[in-house]
C-alpha cells in the first residue's frame, strides 16, 4: 500500500510544475544611497498579469485601458529608483527574445506590450524611463507538487502523520496573526494595481508567500516519510538557483538592481539579500507611494 501511495504522489509531482525612454525629470523621492558600499536592490513582488499555471492567480485584464494606465503609473513610481540593471521572471536562455521585444517597445512606447504581462507592461516601461539598455531573465524551472498536503488531507485512506493542525491552520487561516492584512485581502479585487502591489509587498505577505508555497509542507508526511519536506526542498532549490542566476550578471558597486518577479520568488530573494555581503535592499513600499 505504501508503495502505491508513493507512486501516486510521484505522479502528481510530475504533473505539477511551475511555468515557466526618455528620462523624466521627476525627483520627488531621493535615490537610495549606497552608504554601506553594497549594491542597492529594489525587490518588487507582483502577481502574474496574464495566464499562469502557478498555484495562485489573480484576475487582471491587461488589455483594458485602465490597466495600461495604472501600469504606467506604477512604472513611473518604480523608475524613481533609477535602476541600471533590470531582472525579470524569464529563463536566461530567452534573453535575446526578451530584449528584442524590449527594443521594439522602445521604438514605439506609446503602446504598452501586453504579451509578457507584468514584464512588458511594467519592467519595459521602468527600463525606458531609466535609460536601461537591456533586461535579464533569472528564472529557473523545476517541477514540484505544492498540492501534496492537500492530496493527503483529501484522501481518506491517508493520514498526515506530522502536524495536520498547523498545516490546516496555515491553509485555512493564513493571516490569523495579521487581521489587518486579512481585511485588506477581502477588498483585493476592488483595488487599483498600485494598491494590490502595495499589499503584495507587505512583509507579512512575503512570509505568507513562503509559507503557502513551501513551508507549510514541512508539516506534512505519511508515516515516517518526508513527502512534504521533499517537495518544499525543490521549491527552495528553485529559488536558490534564481538567486544564483542573479549573481551571474556582471555588476559593480555603481549599479542599482530592480527585480520584478512573482511574490514567492521575491520573498525568497528578500531572505537571501538580507544576509548578502554584496546587496542591500531598499524599502519597496517607499517606491510605491504616490506623490
Amino acid at each position: 500500500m505504501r508503495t502505491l501511495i508513493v507512486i501516486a504522489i510521484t505522479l502528481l509531482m510530475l504533473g505539477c510544475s511551475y511555468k515557466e525612454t526618455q528620462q523624466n525629470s521627476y525627483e520627488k523621492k531621493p535615490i537610495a544611497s549606497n552608504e554601506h558600499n553594497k549594491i542597492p536592490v529594489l525587490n518588487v513582488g507582483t502577481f502574474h498579469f496574464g495566464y499562469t499555471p502557478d498555484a495562485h492567480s489573480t484576475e487582471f485584464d491587461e488589455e483594458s485601458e485602465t490597466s495600461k494606465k495604472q501600469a504606467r503609473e506604477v512604472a513611473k513610481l518604480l523608475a524613481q529608483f533609477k535602476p541600471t540593471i533590470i531582472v525579470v521572471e524569464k529563463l536566461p536562455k530567452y534573453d535575446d527574445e526578451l530584449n528584442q521585444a524590449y527594443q521594439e517597445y522602445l521604438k514605439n512606447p506609446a503602446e504598452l506590450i501586453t504579451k509578457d504581462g507584468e514584464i512588458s507592461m511594467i519592467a519595459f516601461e521602468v527600463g525606458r524611463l531609466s535609460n536601461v539598455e537591456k533586461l535579464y531573465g533569472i528564472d529557473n524551472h523545476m517541477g514540484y507538487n505544492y498540492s501534496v498536503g492537500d492530496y493527503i488531507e483529501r484522501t481518506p485512506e491517508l493520514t498526515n502523520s506530522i502536524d495536520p493542525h498547523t498545516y490546516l491552520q496555515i491553509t485555512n487561516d493564513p493571516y490569523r496573526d495579521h487581521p489587518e492584512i486579512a481585511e485588506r485581502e477581502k477588498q483585493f479585487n476592488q483595488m487599483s494595481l498600485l494598491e494590490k502591489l502595495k499589499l503584495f509587498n507587505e512583509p507579512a505577505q512575503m512570509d505568507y508567500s513562503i509559507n503557502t508555497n513551501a513551508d507549510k509542507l514541512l508539516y506534512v508526511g505519511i508515516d515516517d516519510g518526508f513527502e512534504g519536506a521533499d517537495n518544499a526542498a525543490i521549491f527552495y532549490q528553485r529559488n536558490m538557483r534564481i538567486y544564483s542566476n542573479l549573481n551571474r550578471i556582471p555588476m559593480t558597486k555603481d549599479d542599482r538592481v530592480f527585480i520584478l518577479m512573482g511574490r514567492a520568488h521575491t520573498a525568497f530573494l528578500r531572505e537571501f539579500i538580507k544576509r548578502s555581503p554584496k546587496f542591500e535592499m531598499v524599502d519597496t513600499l517607499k517606491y510605491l507611494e504616490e506623490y
Side-chain angles (χ1 to χ4, degrees):
M1 178 66 181
R2 175 65 184 275
T3 301
L4 291 175
I5 292 169
V6 172
I7 291 172
I9 292 173
T10 301
L11 290 172
L12 270 174
M13 285 177 60
L14 293 174
C16 299
S17 64
Y18 262 63
K19 70 165 189 176
E20 312 200 286
T21 196
Q22 61 194 50
Q23 185 75 28
N24 282 4
S25 59
Y26 48 84
E27 286 292 343
K28 297 289 184 176
K29 297 184 182 72
I31 298 176
S33 65
N34 191 5
E35 58 184 285
H36 299 123
N37 202 32
K38 293 184 177 183
I39 300 171
V41 178
L42 177 57
N43 185 33
V44 179
T46 181
F47 56 91
H48 296 304
F49 290 2
Y51 165 78
T52 173
D54 285 4
H56 308 281
S57 61
T58 298
E59 287 190 13
F60 182 78
D61 181 8
E62 63 267 30
E63 297 296 339
S64 78
E65 291 305 315
T66 297
S67 294
K68 292 176 182 179
K69 180 176 182 292
Q70 292 182 357
R72 286 190 186 275
E73 291 169 351
V74 168
K76 187 176 180 180
L77 293 175
L78 297 175
Q80 293 177 98
F81 175 65
K82 308 291 187 189
T84 61
I85 293 174
I86 297 178
V87 300
V88 295
E89 193 172 334
K90 278 276 191 183
L91 295 173
K93 68 179 182 180
Y94 296 128
D95 275 4
D96 288 346
E97 178 183 305
L98 170 68
N99 283 289
Q100 183 178 351
Y102 176 51
Q103 293 302 319
E104 289 299 317
Y105 174 67
L106 293 182
K107 294 175 184 176
N108 182 26
E111 183 63 30
L112 286 181
I113 299 174
T114 61
K115 177 179 176 291
D116 281 315
E118 68 279 3
I119 294 175
S120 54
M121 295 181 71
I122 292 183
F124 281 12
E125 179 66 356
V126 172
R128 182 185 76 86
L129 293 171
S130 306
N131 290 326
V132 171
E133 294 183 0
K134 63 179 291 187
L135 281 68
Y136 297 87
I138 61 170
D139 198 8
N140 181 269
H141 289 176
M142 298 183 71
Y144 91 114
N145 183 7
Y146 51 77
S147 299
V148 63
D150 294 341
Y151 174 75
I152 293 171
E153 291 292 340
R154 290 196 308 263
T155 305
E157 60 268 29
L158 300 181
T159 300
N160 177 7
S161 63
I162 297 183
D163 185 356
H165 173 77
T166 301
Y167 175 80
L168 291 172
Q169 183 266 304
I170 296 173
T171 300
N172 299 322
D173 190 17
Y175 300 114
R176 182 186 63 180
D177 298 326
H178 299 279
E180 74 286 356
I181 297 290
E183 285 302 310
R184 289 168 67 188
E185 276 282 340
K186 293 177 184 177
Q187 306 300 319
F188 191 81
N189 289 333
Q190 287 72 52
M191 291 179 176
S192 68
L193 175 59
L194 178 59
E195 291 169 333
K196 289 175 179 175
L197 293 180
K198 283 181 179 179
L199 180 58
F200 257 49
N201 286 276
E202 290 280 357
Q205 284 274 8
M206 295 286 111
D207 292 339
Y208 158 79
S209 193
I210 293 178
N211 262 328
T212 195
N213 281 281
D215 284 6
K216 75 175 184 176
L217 296 182
L218 305 181
Y219 304 96
V220 172
I222 302 169
D223 298 331
D224 60 350
F226 299 95
E227 291 81 0
D230 289 347
N231 278 282
I234 296 172
F235 195 59
Y236 267 79
Q237 184 180 11
R238 179 187 178 192
N239 285 283
M240 288 188 283
R241 288 183 174 190
I242 288 172
Y243 186 57
S244 291
N245 278 338
L246 173 64
N247 286 297
R248 292 182 195 274
I249 301 171
M251 57 183 78
T252 72
K253 300 295 184 183
D254 295 324
D255 281 309
R256 306 172 59 77
V257 182
F258 167 51
I259 304 173
L260 183 69
M261 300 195 77
R263 179 176 57 182
H265 306 309
T266 301
F268 275 97
L269 290 172
R270 175 191 67 163
E271 297 305 311
F272 301 145
I273 292 171
K274 275 181 183 178
R275 301 184 293 274
S276 171
K278 176 181 180 179
F279 298 115
E280 182 173 56
M281 283 189 302
V282 302
D283 185 346
T284 298
L285 293 176
K286 285 187 177 179
Y287 284 91
L288 290 173
E289 291 176 356
E290 296 177 278
Y291 52 85

